[in-house]
Amino acid sequence: MRLVVGLFMAAILLVLAAAGPAIAPYPKEYSEKLLVVPTPEGSETLYAPQPPSMRHLLGTDRFGYDILSLLLYGARYTVLAALGSAAARVLIGGSLGLALGMRRGGRSAAGKVSGGLGGIPGFLVVYFVMLAINIDSPLSTTTLGAIQSALIVLLGIPVVSATIAGKTAHHRQTQHVLAAVALGANRRRVALKHILPQLREDLLLLFSGEVVLVLVLIGQLAVFDLFFGGTVLAFDPILLTPRVPEWASMIGASRSSIQAHQWLVLAPLGAFLFAVLAFQLVASGLEHRVRAGYARPPLV
Amino acid sequence: MMRKVAALACLLVAILVLAAWPDVLFVEQDAVVFRPSAVFTDVIGYVRGVADGTSFVYGFWDERSLFAGLDTRIVNSFLYMVVAGLLAVAMGPALGIWLTAGRHDRLKDAVTLTGAVPDFVLALLLQIAVVAFYKSTGHRLARVASIDSSRPAILLPLLVLSLVPMVYLVRTVSARTYQIVTEPFVTVARARGAARRRIYLTQVLPNVTRYLRADVSRVTGLILADFFIVDYLFNLRGITTLIFSFGLKGGYRYSLVVNGLILSVLLYAAVYLVLRAFVRGVEALAVRA
């Protein structure tokens, strides 16, 4: 059930990422910094940010941009960054793990690298590498996003490869693989034809788990104003804002508004949480399915 | 012993190199500059500064000593991390065993799903909930941030800090409990007429706690990573501001960041030792039971 719900939520995210700009109620550049509305006494001028209303379902941000439109324009950055980085982690880390797992001692080598890196919080590494190039950068949004994604991928490869190396080493000892080796299959054939198909569910499980980890990492960086795709520094008052309306960046940019303008944080927070829970449900559902296949019943 | 010294040396080198990155890769006159030699310049400058004391002085508009108020920062950070760690280590395994023993699968799923909520999302949601409750009722449930040293935020930061490691322990202990109750020695105990409660107490509990010691380093790592976020969002006046002080206050201070990162490693070690001692105590009790 949770797998179905998770997949349904993930499908919604994909639709939003693909069609978000087309269904956004306002154009990308449209903002209402101030709005004059007629009243029985004459007229009243309303200043941004505006709370949720029929005109702006999720309200406007401090620059007058419609938050719902921002979320719809930004969905593709969040979804693409998370899916792309997680896919690259699993593809590169999985291939490396498969190769290491086929060699004697490769499993423990992968484990040592992964264990050594496990002690350093991932966001610290990305933070310090990108710190001096992300704010008011001459680099394009795409380049900054690509650098951040590449760093996120690099950080995840050791753990993924250690996991896959362990599972490959386990499958190498199964009867059908030993039989294939005895019949003369070479290492490459054993890996691709006999072990890789056994790892299909593990790789899917890893992928959905990695999507969640990548989302969390992007969010943690945004808390420290390191926004995906670049940070813009504005003066008078001093403000750090994201170049693109990526969801985690929107949370980071509005986190100081929890007292006065809560809708500024709540809307992106809800969208981000929806994305995290979607892939967490997929991961949890897949895990349940994999376990149910071979679990022994408890004896007490 | 030699291995531990080598690991510590590697960690120190990693800190010195990592902290130098903003001087290695940066923007100057609208161009990105990559200057790897800055690592050596920074490290040499830091080592010299340790000798003459300038590595422990920082300032943006005025010069300040690193040691001014440092004891409060360290004690604050340590207390939050230790209390959260003890809460997680005390409650996580108990909850994990209880959920598996009682076949509370749906509740276990709910706990696991709650643990998937990122630390910063949980922190912000709790802050918003407290503010909304205060606005509608006039009652303050908790402080949403520390105002000063005499008015700290306690409840919400501890809740966020302890939740992630606690859910991690619930998951791992639950998986281990499930594995143990499928082992043949449990069948033997049942065949000998042992009651379910007794089997859990004498067979399952000692076997589960045996593994807990291996989880302490992971739990401490989770708490430290969470603490950076929680310290920043709840304004706890811990060590985080030493590390994340770049930006609008006059540039990047390498020595300040290195000192902050070294302090965080020392805090990790201190919290780890306390949690390990606690787990050993629990192990001893479980074996006696």
Side-chain angles (χ1 to χ4, degrees):
Chain A
M1 181 63 184
R2 74 193 96 171
L3 182 59
V4 176
V5 175
L7 286 172
F8 180 69
M9 289 166 73
I12 292 175
L13 284 170
L14 287 174
V15 170
L16 289 181
I23 55 175
Y26 291 92
K28 201 174 179 180
E29 305 302 332
Y30 180 80
S31 78
E32 284 176 357
K33 264 199 162 178
L34 53 92
L35 178 69
V36 181
V37 289
T39 58
E41 293 82 33
S43 66
E44 188 188 358
T45 307
L46 302 174
Y47 297 91
Q50 285 297 314
S53 62
M54 286 312 288
R55 189 174 171 81
H56 299 285
L57 288 177
L58 298 178
T60 66
D61 71 3
R62 58 179 71 125
F63 303 106
Y65 291 102
D66 178 65
I67 291 178
L68 177 60
S69 300
L70 287 178
L71 287 174
L72 288 167
Y73 282 109
R76 57 182 51 186
Y77 296 103
T78 308
V79 173
L80 266 180
L83 293 182
S85 303
R89 274 181 170 192
V90 174
L91 200 69
I92 302 169
S95 309
L96 207 62
L98 190 62
L100 285 169
M102 291 301 293
R103 291 174 192 280
R104 198 170 290 168
R107 178 189 184 178
S108 66
K112 276 178 191 166
V113 175
S114 141
L117 286 173
I120 305 171
F123 75 91
L124 273 184
V125 178
V126 186
Y127 178 82
F128 283 110
V129 174
M130 296 210 63
L131 183 59
I133 56 166
N134 207 56
I135 298 175
D136 273 349
S137 178
L139 295 173
S140 70
T141 302
T142 314
T143 310
L144 287 171
I147 295 174
Q148 190 166 329
S149 301
L151 287 168
I152 288 172
V153 171
L154 277 176
L155 279 172
I157 287 175
V159 177
V160 174
S161 62
T163 310
I164 295 299
K167 296 205 179 279
T168 304
H170 169 75
H171 285 299
R172 249 177 63 201
Q173 303 304 319
T174 51
Q175 296 294 320
H176 73 282
V177 174
L178 290 173
V181 173
L183 286 168
N186 63 23
R187 193 181 282 170
R188 187 186 163 87
R189 185 174 173 82
V190 169
L192 296 178
K193 296 281 179 187
H194 297 278
I195 294 182
L196 190 58
Q198 304 287 324
L199 295 174
R200 208 170 41 204
E201 278 182 326
D202 291 310
L203 287 169
L204 272 174
L205 184 59
L206 261 176
F207 172 70
S208 39
E210 289 299 316
V211 174
V212 176
L213 291 178
V214 171
L215 280 170
V216 172
L217 196 53
I218 293 174
Q220 288 175 332
L221 289 165
V223 167
F224 294 104
D225 301 318
L226 206 116
F227 302 132
F228 188 85
T231 302
V232 179
L233 172 62
F235 293 95
D236 200 21
I238 291 175
L239 270 180
L240 288 164
T241 52
R243 268 194 201 170
V244 290
E246 186 277 317
W247 293 352
S249 306
M250 286 174 72
I251 297 171
S254 58
R255 67 184 157 74
S256 56
S257 308
I258 54 161
Q259 305 264 9
H261 313 298
Q262 295 188 334
W263 68 92
L264 293 181
V265 202
L266 267 175
L269 212 52
F272 188 81
L273 194 56
F274 182 86
V276 170
L277 289 182
F279 289 99
Q280 181 61 36
L281 281 171
V282 173
S284 159
L286 277 172
E287 194 180 355
H288 196 257
R289 215 173 99 166
V290 171
R291 263 201 206 148
Y294 61 83
R296 287 181 291 172
L299 299 167
V300 282
Chain B
M1 184 63 188
M2 280 304 288
R3 194 177 281 182
K4 280 183 182 168
V5 173
L8 268 177
C10 285
L11 192 60
L12 187 63
V13 170
I15 286 174
L16 291 170
V17 174
L18 185 65
W21 264 95
D23 291 329
V24 170
L25 188 66
F26 58 96
V27 173
E28 196 174 62
Q29 291 174 345
D30 275 351
V32 175
V33 179
F34 181 62
R35 193 178 291 155
S37 61
V39 175
F40 300 105
T41 319
D42 279 350
V43 173
I44 291 167
Y46 180 76
V47 174
R48 279 190 188 144
V50 170
D52 63 21
T54 49
S55 286
F56 305 111
V57 175
Y58 70 97
F60 299 109
W61 291 291
D62 54 336
E63 232 170 47
R64 291 182 196 177
S65 165
L66 174 76
F67 302 107
L70 189 65
D71 50 344
T72 318
R73 282 182 194 278
I74 293 173
V75 170
N76 266 356
S77 310
F78 177 74
L79 285 178
Y80 277 108
M81 287 166 70
V82 157
V83 174
L86 289 174
L87 280 173
V89 174
M91 291 169 68
L95 200 58
I97 295 175
W98 178 74
L99 288 171
T100 310
R103 311 263 204 284
H104 303 295
D105 289 345
R106 287 199 182 280
L107 193 58
K108 195 170 84 182
D109 287 345
V111 171
T112 310
L113 207 60
T114 313
V117 177
D119 43 14
F120 67 95
V121 173
L122 187 66
L124 289 169
L125 282 176
L126 287 172
Q127 285 176 324
I128 290 171
V130 167
V131 171
F133 188 81
Y134 179 75
K135 279 183 178 173
S136 58
T137 65
H139 293 289
R140 197 186 63 197
L141 295 171
R143 277 200 191 100
V144 293
S146 292
I147 300 161
D148 53 42
S149 54
S150 60
R151 288 175 292 176
I154 296 173
L155 184 66
L156 301 189
L158 282 180
L159 204 62
V160 179
L161 268 179
S162 55
L163 190 78
V164 173
M166 192 168 77
V167 172
Y168 165 76
L169 285 172
V170 168
R171 285 188 64 166
T172 51
V173 166
S174 168
R176 270 178 216 141
T177 306
Y178 195 85
Q179 190 199 338
I180 290 163
V181 294
T182 60
E183 295 293 339
F185 62 79
V186 172
T187 320
V188 174
R190 277 191 73 185
R192 291 176 67 183
R196 194 163 178 268
R197 186 187 170 86
R198 183 163 177 78
I199 291 174
Y200 267 97
L201 210 62
T202 59
Q203 310 281 340
V204 178
L205 191 64
N207 274 300
V208 167
T209 50
R210 201 155 52 91
Y211 289 101
L212 265 183
R213 210 187 299 178
D215 282 327
V216 171
S217 61
R218 171 89 173 131
V219 165
T220 315
L222 286 174
I223 292 173
L224 180 64
D226 271 357
F227 183 74
F228 289 131
I229 305 282
V230 170
D231 186 5
Y232 197 67
L233 288 180
F234 290 102
N235 188 31
L236 300 184
R237 292 153 201 273
I239 56 159
T240 307
T241 39
L242 301 178
I243 301 167
F244 299 96
S245 56
F246 172 75
L248 316 171
K249 296 177 186 169
Y252 182 71
R253 296 301 301 256
Y254 177 76
S255 57
L256 183 64
V257 173
V258 169
N259 291 330
L261 289 172
I262 290 175
L263 276 175
S264 67
V265 172
L266 294 176
L267 271 171
Y268 172 94
V271 175
Y272 172 80
L273 288 174
V274 173
L275 294 186
R276 200 178 65 167
F278 179 76
V279 166
R280 280 189 174 170
V282 173
E283 267 178 54
L285 279 175
V287 170
R288 254 185 237 167

